Amino acid sequence: MEIPTKPKTQIDEISHNLSFSTSIAGDPSWDKFPFFRHRSRQITRDTWLVSVFVLLQIVIFAVTMGVNDCSRNSNGHCAAKLLGRFSFQPLSENPMLGPSASTFEHMGGLFWNALVEKHEIWRVLTSPWLHSGLFHLFINLGSLIFVGIYMEQRYGPLRIAVIYFLSGIVGSLFAVLFVRNIPSICSGAAFFGLIGAMLSALARNWNLYTCKISALVIIFIISTVNFLIGFLPYIDNFANIGGFISGFLLGFVLLFTPQLRQDPPPHKGKLFEDDMKSSTRLKEMFDRPVLRIVCLVLFCAIFVGVLIAASWGINLNRHCNWCRYVDCVPTRKWSCSDMTTSCEAMVSDAQLTLTCMANGKFRIFPYTNISQARTQDLCTLVCS
């Protein structure tokens, strides 16, 4: 005896056709869904891309600390000495538990003299993968996991990879326009690109989500925490700004979704129809090719503009005296001034005395057999 199959209803067809279906089985209502959905209701999709990004950055940080080799290059004057070769520079030199300035320069951090005099433009590609220290690594990767997994599950790895890489590059180029003679790293640029893309995705589908204000608050808190970290040494806030703008524009270009074309269930009234029509009109406005083309043109213009400006060695700090404070807060531990440090070195009784030629400050170190790059690190510490 053949069992009759249950005919599909209009609600079933709509739930099947919508890629962002939110109806729960047996629920007669058609509800909006929160921007940050519960894990049990998220789209089941592998997040291998974010996992690769996290693993790469952990490996690169470990390699950076191995190259730094504080126990040998700083004669054991390190933090966490039990780590041996992977111990950190003293907190007075790097409060984020990380390597020295010369190590950042060696590993590909942005540095004015290297970019302008040596024309090492390849640093734009390496600086987004460096971190100032262990604290910076944990905060950056924690934020990347939270935001990146959501974005990859929602939009797939390909589009997220494009936004991540392009935001990192444009953010680094933007940072070159404000770079000083202190090595800076741009690992936050790519992450801020994802934040910008998430914000544009929220704007495009504004009427489809519930708890929109809560989503904005979460995005604001994550962005603020990572931006405040940029005021600490070696972290470049201008890269974060450039990455955010790039990601916001690329989000409108790449993170498009199918338009709403289905009719609402027949038992819903006029109020529901008006609400769906309003959502459809807003979504169609953001799904228009004109908007995507305009955002793509703006992104290309910004990319070409900062690339040309960086190639010409333009330094906007010369035309903006207060811009340095967007990236640095001066304290007694470090300075935001862009001065070339030089010191007079004197060796006596297995001690090294460095005297800053700019302000007359001096400091005695209990070792002498250090490299010239390490001597310059200590000179910058004395003069700041």
Side-chain angles (χ1 to χ4, degrees), residues 167 189 192-193 195-197 199 219 223 239-249:
S167 298
F192 269 87
I195 286 289
L199 188 61
I219 294 174
S223 304
N240 297 339
I241 297 173
F244 178 83
I245 296 174
S246 301
F248 185 75
L249 294 175

Side-chain angles (χ1 to χ4, degrees), residues 72-76 347 350-352 365-372 374-375:
R72 181 175 65 88
N73 295 329
S74 297
N75 294 77
V347 178
Q351 291 182 337
L352 174 65
F365 299 93
Y367 44 79
T368 58
N369 55 334
I370 57 176
S371 64
Q372 183 177 359
R374 183 61 189 150
T375 302

Side-chain angles (χ1 to χ4, degrees), residues 85-223:
R85 183 185 184 93
F86 298 94
S87 57
F88 311 109
Q89 296 300 128
L91 295 180
S92 58
E93 185 177 349
N94 189 337
M96 300 297 287
L97 289 180
S100 62
S102 58
T103 300
F104 284 130
E105 184 178 357
H106 178 73
M107 293 296 295
L110 297 183
F111 194 73
W112 174 255
N113 291 338
L115 291 168
V116 177
E117 297 180 0
K118 300 179 182 179
H119 304 287
E120 296 175 347
I121 196 65
W122 53 267
R123 293 176 179 271
V124 172
L125 301 176
T126 56
S127 60
W129 297 96
L130 301 177
H131 288 83
S132 65
L134 190 63
F135 292 151
H136 185 209
L137 180 71
F138 283 161
I139 295 175
N140 186 269
L141 293 188
S143 303
L144 175 61
I145 291 172
F146 179 80
V147 174
I149 287 179
Y150 169 83
M151 296 294 287
E152 186 177 357
Q153 287 179 336
R154 184 70 62 181
Y155 299 104
L158 179 60
R159 287 181 283 183
I160 299 307
V162 172
I163 293 175
Y164 191 85
F165 282 114
L166 290 181
S167 298
I169 294 174
V170 175
S172 297
L173 289 172
F174 192 74
V176 171
L177 306 182
F178 300 90
V179 73
R180 296 172 290 139
N181 281 325
I182 301 174
S184 61
I185 56 179
C186 308
S187 55
F191 165 72
F192 269 87
L194 294 183
I195 286 289
M198 177 179 284
L199 188 61
S200 61
L202 177 61
R204 293 180 68 259
N205 302 282
W206 182 259
N207 280 355
L208 300 179
Y209 296 115
T210 61
C211 306
K212 296 181 282 286
I213 303 302
S214 300
L216 287 176
V217 171
I218 293 175
I219 294 174
F220 176 79
I221 292 175
I222 296 176
S223 304

